[in-house]
Amino acid sequence: GTESTGVSQAFVDACQKRIFLPMNGFADSLNASVAAAIVMQQLIWMKPKLIGSLSGEEIKLLREKWYRTLARNPTQAEQYMNMLDSPPEPFMDTRRADEHRSGWTKKKDKAKEVNAHEYTPGR
């Protein structure tokens, strides 16, 4: 749907439930992927048993489908299929590396910071 008119009546009729995501601030709508992520997170908080309910075979089939979608060429597809039975471990820390976490600073402000660290009171 759109921000002004929402979803079509056919879409509403096909739904089992309508939900409302309250928002603060100036935003009038959420991106569909953001809204979906919020809903999924809330569902997991409400029903933690939803996590990990796939069998090993279901996980493998889903991973195979994902690998085929992810591969951009036959070489990558072969590499991914070779990882099907022993996939890489998930990332434990997905934050940016420490060296990439600093904000942008103007050159003149960086120079001031360097000079401030070199300043010794009483000299």
Side-chain angles (χ1 to χ4, degrees):
T2 65
E3 290 180 24
S4 59
T5 61
V7 296
S8 68
Q9 189 59 45
F11 192 89
V12 172
D13 292 343
C15 293
Q16 295 175 352
K17 187 171 198 110
R18 287 180 77 176
I19 61 170
F20 173 74
L21 300 175
M23 297 186 304
N24 297 317
F26 298 104
D28 290 332
S29 66
L30 294 171
N31 174 293
S33 64
V34 172
I38 292 169
V39 170
M40 287 187 281
Q41 183 63 53
Q42 187 64 35
L43 288 172
I44 289 170
W45 283 337
M46 292 167 58
K47 297 209 175 250
K49 290 184 180 181
L50 291 173
I51 299 172
S53 61
L54 295 176
S55 70
E57 187 59 31
E58 289 171 317
I59 291 170
K60 187 175 178 178
L61 289 171
L62 187 60
R63 185 175 289 125
E64 182 177 357
K65 183 178 178 182
W66 171 243
Y67 283 171
R68 290 189 190 286
T69 303
L70 188 62
R72 294 182 177 177
N73 56 54
T75 303
Q76 279 187 346
E78 183 179 345
Q79 290 172 339
Y80 294 154
M81 290 303 118
N82 288 336
M83 293 189 298
L84 197 55
D85 290 320
S86 57
E89 289 293 317
F91 292 117
M92 297 310 292
D93 184 356
T94 57
R95 294 175 297 170
R96 297 176 92 187
D98 287 341
E99 61 268 17
H100 299 292
R101 288 192 198 177
S102 63
W104 183 82
T105 308
K106 295 178 185 176
K107 285 184 181 180
K108 67 178 184 177
D109 292 337
K110 283 183 184 178
K112 286 180 187 176
E113 280 184 28
V114 169
N115 293 336
H117 292 298
E118 294 173 355
Y119 173 74
T120 306
R123 282 193 177 178

